Amino acid sequence: MEKRNLRKERIGVVSSNKMEKSIVVNEVKRVKHPMYGKFVLKTKKYVAHDENNDCNEGDTVRIMETRPMSKSKRWRLVEILERAK
């Protein structure tokens, strides 16, 4: 059996699900400012493939790196960790 490389995984919140089979996931990091020491929130957006269109805005999801599926989609949905209330 062929061994696959480890793929990056991210956890974030779905900010948009208006596309067909695609979602936009925001990942928020707390980074310490190098000079002042204050923690700053940094956000990063990922466009991920959602095969069954079952994500809604506000859901917390886990996404995994995958082959390029379109111009901007390089991630796919692994699981929905928590549904939006």
Side-chain angles (χ1 to χ4, degrees):
M1 194 165 120
E2 188 177 323
K3 187 177 179 187
R4 286 179 127 173
N5 293 336
L6 287 174
R7 294 171 181 221
K8 296 175 192 161
E9 287 194 347
R10 301 283 187 262
I11 294 176
V13 178
V14 177
S15 61
S16 172
N17 67 340
K18 291 181 171 58
M19 298 171 277
E20 282 293 317
K21 296 191 177 185
S22 299
I23 54 174
V24 178
V25 179
N26 278 347
E27 178 196 31
V28 179
K29 288 184 187 176
R30 290 182 64 223
V31 180
K32 193 172 186 179
H33 192 281
M35 184 173 175
Y36 299 112
K38 182 176 179 178
F39 284 95
V40 183
L41 293 179
K42 297 272 186 184
T43 60
K44 176 90 171 131
K45 279 187 182 180
Y46 300 101
V47 179
H49 184 69
D50 179 12
E51 183 63 40
N52 301 323
N53 272 334
D54 54 359
C55 283
N56 295 314
E57 288 187 25
D59 291 352
T60 303
V61 295
R62 175 180 286 126
I63 56 175
M64 177 187 286
E65 201 173 34
T66 187
R67 65 179 176 80
M69 295 186 163
S70 72
K71 179 182 173 183
S72 57
K73 272 203 299 194
R74 272 98 175 108
W75 297 82
R76 65 181 163 87
L77 177 70
V78 177
E79 65 175 323
I80 300 172
L81 299 174
E82 185 181 335
R83 293 277 185 187
K85 294 180 172 76

